[in-house]
């Protein structure tokens, strides 16, 4: 049953087989506004959101009949002009408040990351004051919170290419981003002279973040809008099993990489331990290339 959250999806699916012209794009936006206004009116009268959306869509009738009088655009097109046209017709402008909020949070995050880097470098040289060493873990937590807010806020919004993500799942991605950023910050704190607990906690949070991201990614439904699917197609969108296998491979690669990094950091120090992360990154991209671009066993491509 339609809900206020998926009215946009309903319209995209209803207009999927209708030729895209400036006229049909304007009609689509007009219908979108009318549906949202009708849903708000019904909810104000006491109707439940789900029932209000269903009633508003039911009152709308057959969308195809609304565009029968519009002629199709038979002018010749090229792939490039078609892409530009689709992007223009389906563009959704972000709100000014969202842009300002994201810019402010990003600037604060950049300042926090710079503080982490400076604190770890100065601390590693043994010239950092005590208050700076104590502040680095707190800055790591603050950076994690900022990244979580940016991530969750972005995923919970509809874009030109993707539908909005449900609030709980967006929160999950935000928490995974928090764990990853905080974990990296704790490792930086350890490099700057914080006791060993920072390294252990940092690696644990980083692994938890990786597992959470993979789990969320594997179970995520396709949020890509139909017009984007017409333009871009990759193996993962066409083969869910391949996407799931890649997620499992990613978990194994990075668990091994972070585990080896922690072990080498304790045994031989950071001078060589970072090579474990570099090796994991190289293996990750090799697996990505192998999985994303399947090789035809016949040798034709």
């Amino acid at each position: 049953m339609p809900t206020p959250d998926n009215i946009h999806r309903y319209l995209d699916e209803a207009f999927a087989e209708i030729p895209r012209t400036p006229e049909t794009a304007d009609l689509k936006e007009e219908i979108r506004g009318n549906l949202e206004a009708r849903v708000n009116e019904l909810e104000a009268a006491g109707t439940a959101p789900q029932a209000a959306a269903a009633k508003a869509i039911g009152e709308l009738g057959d969308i195809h009949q609304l565009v029968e009088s519009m002629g199709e655009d038979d002018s010749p097109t090229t792939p490039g002009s078609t892409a530009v046209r689709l992007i223009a017709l389906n563009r959704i402008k972000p709100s000014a408040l969202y842009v300002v909020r994201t810019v402010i949070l990003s600037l604060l995050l950049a300042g926090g990351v710079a503080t982490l880097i400076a604190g770890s470098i100065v601390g590693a040289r043994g010239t950092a004051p005590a208050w700076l060493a104590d502040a680095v873990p707190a800055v790591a937590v603050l950076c994690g919170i900022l990244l979580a807010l940016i991530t969750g806020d972005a995923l919970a919004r509809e874009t030109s290419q993707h539908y909005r993500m449900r609030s709980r799942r967006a929160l999950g991605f935000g928490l995974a981003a928090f764990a990853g950023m905080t974990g990296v910050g704790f490792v930086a704190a350890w490099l700057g002279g914080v006791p060993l607990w920072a390294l252990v906690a940092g690696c644990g949070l980083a692994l938890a973040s990786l597992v959470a991201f993979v789990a969320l990614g594997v179970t995520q439904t396709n949020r890509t809008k139909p017009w984007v699917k017409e333009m871009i197609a990759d193996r993962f969108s066409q083969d869910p099993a391949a996407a799931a296998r890649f997620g499992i491979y990613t978990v194994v690669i990075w668990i091994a990489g972070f585990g080896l990094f922690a072990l080498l950091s304790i045994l031989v120090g950071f001078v060589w331990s970072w090579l474990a992360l570099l090796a994991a990154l190289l293996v990750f991209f090799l697996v990505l290339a192998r999985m994303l671009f399947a090789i035809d066993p016949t040798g034709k491509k």
Side-chain angles (χ1 to χ4, degrees):
M1 180 179 292
T3 66
D5 289 340
N6 62 21
I7 282 179
H8 303 299
R9 185 186 295 269
Y10 166 78
L11 286 176
D12 284 338
E13 293 175 353
F15 276 82
E17 298 179 358
I18 297 175
R20 292 182 175 86
T21 66
E23 291 77 14
T24 57
D26 291 339
L27 177 62
K28 179 180 176 182
E29 293 306 313
E30 182 179 352
I31 293 175
R32 188 197 308 272
N34 292 337
L35 282 176
E36 292 176 346
R38 181 56 175 158
V39 169
N40 293 334
E41 179 183 346
L42 291 171
E43 289 182 358
T47 306
Q50 191 174 24
K55 184 175 181 180
I57 291 176
E59 294 173 350
L60 179 64
D62 186 3
I63 291 180
H64 290 79
Q65 294 181 357
L66 298 176
V67 296
E68 280 183 353
S69 59
M70 295 184 179
E72 296 185 7
D73 185 2
D74 296 326
S75 57
T77 59
T78 63
S81 64
T82 300
V84 172
R85 185 182 181 192
L86 287 174
I87 292 173
L89 292 176
N90 293 275
R91 182 184 179 189
I92 294 180
K93 295 181 179 180
S95 67
L97 179 60
Y98 167 73
V99 173
V100 172
R101 180 170 64 246
T102 301
V103 169
I104 293 175
L105 292 176
S106 299
L107 291 175
L108 292 174
L109 177 60
V113 172
T115 302
L116 286 176
I117 296 174
S120 62
I121 294 176
V122 175
R125 295 176 177 176
T127 59
W131 66 266
L132 179 59
D134 295 336
V136 170
V139 173
V141 174
L142 177 60
C143 289
I145 294 174
L146 292 172
L147 183 59
L149 292 175
I150 295 172
T151 302
D153 195 14
L155 293 176
R157 301 183 63 85
E158 182 181 11
T159 66
S160 300
Q161 294 80 26
H162 299 94
Y163 297 107
R164 66 180 298 273
M165 184 178 291
R166 294 185 180 275
S167 299
R168 291 184 178 180
R169 182 166 288 272
L171 176 62
F173 275 98
L175 291 176
F178 167 79
M181 183 71 253
T182 305
V184 172
F186 280 175
V187 173
W190 172 75
L191 294 174
V194 176
L196 185 61
W197 68 264
L199 175 63
V200 176
C203 291
L205 286 172
L207 288 176
S209 171
L210 178 62
V211 172
F213 271 124
V214 172
L216 289 168
V218 170
T219 58
Q220 175 62 41
T221 57
N222 196 333
R223 298 168 50 236
T224 305
K225 293 186 174 180
W227 73 271
V228 180
K229 294 179 182 179
E230 295 177 5
M231 295 175 53
I232 303 174
D234 57 74
R235 187 188 181 194
F236 290 163
S237 63
Q238 298 174 351
D239 187 358
R245 287 197 302 272
F246 175 70
I248 296 173
Y249 295 157
T250 300
V251 171
V252 174
I253 291 170
W254 286 107
I255 286 179
F258 277 106
L260 185 58
F261 170 77
L263 180 63
L264 292 177
S265 296
I266 296 173
L267 296 179
V268 299
F270 182 70
V271 175
W272 298 104
S273 63
W274 63 272
L275 293 176
L277 299 180
L278 177 61
L281 184 64
L282 294 175
V283 174
F284 169 79
F285 278 110
L286 287 174
V287 173
L288 175 62
R290 179 64 179 84
M291 295 290 294
L292 190 58
F293 307 102
I295 298 177
D296 188 346
T298 64
K300 296 180 180 180
K301 60 179 181 179

